[in-house]
Amino acid sequence: MSAPEQPASARSSADVALRALLIFFGLLGIAAAYFWSHRPFDIEPGSIPTAALRLGGAALDLLTAAALFLAAGAVGGWCVEKLRLRATAALSRLERLALQTGIGLGALALTALLLGLVGLFQPLLLWGFLAALTLLLRRQAVDWVRCGRALLGAARVRSGWEAFALVYLSAMLVMALIYGLAPPTHWDSLTYHLVAPTRYLREGRIAVQPDVFYLGFSQNVEMLYSYVVGAFGRASAAAPVHFGIGLLALLGLMGVTRRHAGRWAGWTAGLILLSSYNLWALFGWAYVDLGTLLYGALALIAITAWEESRAARWIVVMGGIAGLAAGVKYNAGALGLAMGGYVLLTQPRHALRHGALMAGAALIVFAPWALKGLALYGNPVYPFALGGLAWDAGRTAAFTFPDFSFSGRGWLWHLPILPFAATVFGQDNVDGYGFSLGMWLLTSFAALPLLWRWLLPRERALARAALIFIGALWTFWAAAGGSSGVGIQTRLMIMAFAAFAAAGGLAFVGLRRFPEKPIMIGFILRAIFIVTLLLTFYDAAHTLVRDRAAAYLFGEIAPEEYLYENTGAYANAMQHLPAGSQVRLMYEPRSLYCPESVRCLPDVLFDHWLRPRLAGNSAEAVFAAYRAAGDDYLLVFHTLYEQVLTVSRDRALDEAFMSALEAHMTPVWSDGVRYTLYGWKDE
């Protein structure tokens, strides 16, 4: 019987290449014809150039952010080399990447601050400095790129659980990035996170901004936004930076957990972190909270590295991390208390020396922000504790809402169970905790005492560190919320999330080793965990579809339509402000989309009217002061005005605003629902 006929071998490599190209381009032709006819995402033929332009802009935003991270990686790599940190602790590539980039980002933010304070806050100078640094530190930059490429190896999966984690985390991150590449629409972005870099770049310096007191805060992440927004004038370049910061935090958390408890635990800790709907949402917003998440993860890396080496340089690093965290948000400086508490409990005999070293490093790193606050606002931690520019007790009460603190609400019973209370009662955009956590992030750590005997020594070391962190930051949370309604908010405690997620990952490790008889509790909980993750994924996907970010990127809707749907008609109202005018915004704190030819004065504490009235000024005197200040128009946000009335410190005075307004001014434009623009009656 003859042998089966074999296929003829190719005559040459050129013949193979030609055939492959014919197959490839033939497939492309079929695909182009098919999708031209079927139009995925309902893209009309005429909108294809628009989609290409928007996707090209998104690619430009990503490249701009990547250039910033490359420079940060080089600077951070140089810092790590000078401190000789790699010689004292065997950090994983994940931890190294997060640590050196996080340090580098902080250094670049402080550099931008110093340039701004001396009047050199201009895109050409900022990017010239970045380019020079990257060129000077090209060896460290290349090493950073190689470290990043090596992460592809870390993504290889060895079990079904790891494969599930990779798919889930990747899908969640891609959805967040799509969200982040659309124009910014979220409240704090429009109120101050993007207003700061926009104003500073326009003025060419970091100057006092008396109408937006938020700009007196420390602003490390906003300084990073200044680099990318200034490059091409695209505000949409900011959210990818926030996304990158969050990605570094995720990698750092997974790295430190993996170093102590293995790959399975690292993936699980990542899943726990992104099981929170609101935390996922922050990956697509131009906020600053993921900066505190990053430094919380770096703090966990630093204390475990110090535990292994007992090298004093790690104490310095801890102080630097605390200073950089406070440079993102003042309250994140509490990471210093958590790290200090860990060192105190571990080495009480050296508490004074270590404490002085850590505090000194933190103060040095935070000093530029203290200098800025003191020079421009009269308070190194403006507006807290010492008051400052245009600040008084009334504004303190309006900002902190003491009547809505734990004690004011009658929620003191929450304090002993605070993480669990925040999990159960916290919902997105609902008064109080205002954050949807998912059921695992702040609760799974509680199983550790029951599972301690099933943890290995290295796993217990990380568990101890995480639990001390949780205890210290839990105490800080209770104290902050005890006198302030703002202090209750879960979002202000994101710096603790890495410790919670690491502890939760270790709890799942213990459950994995827990006896399967008489109840397979480990299997049952993992099954429930997967179901809840899928529900979070559904919420995220639903949000992406509802807010139509992908539709915007693919040219299905116009920018005006996207902004109208996602800002509650705010952006539309901004486009109706008369050119060359000064407009006082009443009960409207947002000002990002104010036209360049218009000067907008936002009402960040809703007291443009109430504050002078409480000071004893008559209604006539208040409107005379508006006119004397150069106001041409007042734009009233009626929707928020009605909401403010429900919590007003003096409802009778606030209610009198509309009658006083109509006595002095007349409507010149209205959208008929939310906004009305008023001009002076005698003009």
Side-chain angles (χ1 to χ4, degrees), residues 519-570:
I519 301 174
M520 298 177 64
I521 189 63
F523 173 80
I524 293 171
L525 289 185
R526 285 196 298 275
I528 296 172
F529 185 35
I530 290 173
V531 171
T532 59
L533 287 173
L534 294 177
L535 291 174
T536 301
F537 178 84
Y538 170 80
D539 284 342
H542 174 73
T543 299
L544 190 65
V545 173
R546 180 198 66 198
D547 293 348
R548 304 181 74 189
Y552 169 81
L553 287 177
F554 284 100
E556 292 183 47
I557 57 175
E560 297 79 12
E561 184 180 356
Y562 179 79
L563 291 174
Y564 188 91
E565 291 181 2
N566 289 282
T567 65
Y570 157 77

Side-chain angles (χ1 to χ4, degrees), residues 448-593:
L448 277 176
L450 299 175
L451 301 166
W452 197 261
R453 62 180 292 190
W454 285 278
L455 297 181
L456 301 176
R458 284 182 62 80
E459 296 164 353
R460 292 178 181 177
L462 179 60
R464 278 192 296 269
L467 290 175
I468 291 172
F469 254 59
I470 290 169
L473 296 176
W474 182 340
T475 303
F476 177 80
W477 190 0
S483 59
S484 166
V486 174
I488 290 178
Q489 295 178 16
T490 306
R491 193 159 60 88
L492 297 182
M493 295 306 299
I494 288 179
M495 59 199 173
F497 283 10
F500 276 106
L506 293 170
F508 270 91
V509 169
L511 281 170
R512 193 183 183 196
R513 300 184 185 129
F514 197 78
E516 295 184 356
K517 294 181 179 180
I519 301 174
M520 298 177 64
I521 189 63
F523 173 80
I524 293 171
L525 289 185
R526 285 196 298 275
I528 296 172
F529 185 35
I530 290 173
V531 171
T532 59
L533 287 173
L534 294 177
L535 291 174
T536 301
F537 178 84
Y538 170 80
D539 284 342
H542 174 73
T543 299
L544 190 65
V545 173
R546 180 198 66 198
D547 293 348
R548 304 181 74 189
Y552 169 81
L553 287 177
F554 284 100
E556 292 183 47
I557 57 175
E560 297 79 12
E561 184 180 356
Y562 179 79
L563 291 174
Y564 188 91
E565 291 181 2
N566 289 282
T567 65
Y570 157 77
N572 176 59
M574 292 294 102
Q575 298 310 309
H576 285 83
L577 302 182
S581 64
Q582 177 169 296
V583 182
R584 186 174 297 270
L585 310 182
M586 303 301 294
Y587 304 95
E588 173 56 85
R590 298 169 290 181
S591 62
L592 179 64
Y593 289 116

Side-chain angles (χ1 to χ4, degrees), residues 42-196:
D42 296 325
I43 297 177
E44 295 298 328
S47 67
I48 290 177
T50 300
L53 187 63
R54 290 183 188 169
L55 291 172
L60 182 63
D61 291 339
L62 290 173
L63 288 173
T64 307
L68 177 68
F69 281 98
L70 175 63
V75 173
W78 180 83
C79 293
V80 167
E81 286 180 7
K82 292 301 178 182
L83 288 170
R84 301 197 306 276
L85 297 180
R86 294 174 65 176
T88 62
L91 300 183
S92 65
R93 284 195 181 99
L94 292 171
E95 293 171 286
R96 280 177 48 208
L97 190 70
L99 181 66
Q100 73 181 64
T101 314
I103 292 173
L105 289 171
L108 293 182
L110 294 177
T111 300
L113 167 64
L114 295 175
L115 289 173
L117 290 176
V118 298
L120 299 176
F121 207 78
Q122 297 165 357
L124 186 60
L125 292 174
L126 291 172
W127 279 94
F129 178 79
L130 277 188
L133 266 182
T134 307
L135 184 62
L136 182 65
L137 302 174
R138 56 189 178 276
R139 181 176 58 80
Q140 289 84 355
V142 170
D143 179 67
W144 183 84
V145 172
R146 288 173 176 167
C147 190
R149 288 173 56 190
L151 295 183
L152 296 175
R156 288 197 299 266
V157 295
R158 299 178 182 175
S159 67
W161 181 257
E162 293 182 14
F164 169 76
L166 176 62
V167 171
Y168 176 85
L169 294 175
S170 299
M172 292 288 282
L173 290 172
V174 167
M175 288 193 295
L177 186 57
I178 291 172
Y179 212 132
L181 291 170
T185 59
H186 289 88
W187 191 271
D188 288 4
S189 298
L190 307 185
T191 301
Y192 62 106
H193 291 317
L194 292 178
V195 171

